[in-house]
Amino acid sequence: MPEGHTVHRNARDLAPLVGAPLRVSSPQGRFAEEAAQVDGAPLGSVEAWGKHLLLGLGDARYVHVHLGMRGTWLPRPPGEPPIRSARLRVEGAAGTWELVAPSTCELLAPPAAAAVVARLGPDPLRPDADREAALAALGRGTTAIGALLLDQSVVAGVGNVFRAEALHAVGVHPRTPGRSVERSTLERLWDVLVAMMGRAVEDGRIVTVDAQDRSAVPEAEARRVYKQAHCRDCGADVVVEQVGGRTSYACPVEQPAP
Ligand SMILES: [Zn+2]
């Protein structure tokens, strides 16, 4: 399931299209009416905010994309016919991309696009992220830190894998209330998220185990606790439970229960 690193990578992939007119269409048809409204407009910006992508087109309109569970952007080689299920196809001088199976693909006016961003907490992958605001929101939370991390209005872009791996990295149990976590630990947690998510943008996937060559790590062995039977640090049986409505994974030795 896509987390923030995927969306930031999408933004990076689409960035070369900025500054030139964009052919916009909807091979599948569900976005055809909206696509026709912005077809041929210059692409002014591509911005990732947490798990949301905003393409700024022409007359101050935005295409807002959320990948949801299964959405994906696919590069399309020149001359290939469109994928029939593609909700959105964007075609510029620098390349062609198609969006398949997003949970959201909509055309927004600037106020609505700004409202999408305003609902989000700081995004560890953005250089302009307000670290202090994120630390404050986590530190005053009365609910589990594992639930707070998945709340996109607290921190944007963190999904279930980053939650599990970042909390393991700082030795905090997912059920610990946010306000019970020491300030210095919250600071480390934010910094771990920045580094871990940044590496995932570079790698195109989430690898948290140490490796000389992260690209060579098999997918099933890439994480320390997420979907692991045993903690890859200490070998303890990973504890699986529901936190914040999602399955959480924690090491009972390194992340003592509150
Ligand atoms: Zn462990």
Side-chain angles (χ1 to χ4, degrees), residues 14 16-25 35-36 38-46 55-58 63 73 88-97:
L14 294 168
L17 299 173
V18 169
L22 204 62
R23 298 304 313 269
V24 183
S25 59
V38 289
D39 184 28
L43 181 64
S45 61
V46 179
L55 307 182
L57 275 157
V63 174
W73 283 95
L88 171 67
R89 174 181 168 95
V90 293
E91 212 174 334
T96 299
W97 291 82

Side-chain angles (χ1 to χ4, degrees), residues 168 225 231-236 251-255:
H168 177 254
V225 289
C231 171
R232 287 190 178 273
D233 277 356
C234 71
C251 169
V253 176
E254 295 166 288
Q255 300 167 270

Side-chain angles (χ1 to χ4, degrees), residues 121-147:
D123 174 351
L125 284 171
R126 290 189 62 92
D128 59 0
D130 187 343
R131 178 180 190 257
E132 194 50 48
L135 296 178
L138 291 167
R140 67 173 169 260
T142 54
T143 51
I145 186 97

Side-chain angles (χ1 to χ4, degrees), residues 46-139:
V46 179
E47 292 270 342
W49 297 87
K51 301 180 188 176
H52 300 257
L53 187 75
L54 288 170
L55 307 182
L57 275 157
D59 194 16
R61 274 181 295 186
Y62 292 87
V63 174
H64 169 223
V65 171
H66 192 292
L67 296 176
M69 303 282 275
R70 295 176 299 111
T72 183
W73 283 95
L74 299 166
R76 301 298 293 153
E80 288 282 311
I83 301 168
R84 272 161 59 180
S85 62
R87 182 83 58 89
L88 171 67
R89 174 181 168 95
V90 293
E91 212 174 334
T96 299
W97 291 82
E98 289 178 355
L99 171 67
V100 175
S103 67
T104 302
C105 176
E106 60 184 358
L107 196 58
L108 298 179
V116 168
V117 175
R119 282 195 294 273
L120 299 171
D123 174 351
L125 284 171
R126 290 189 62 92
D128 59 0
D130 187 343
R131 178 180 190 257
E132 194 50 48
L135 296 178
L138 291 167

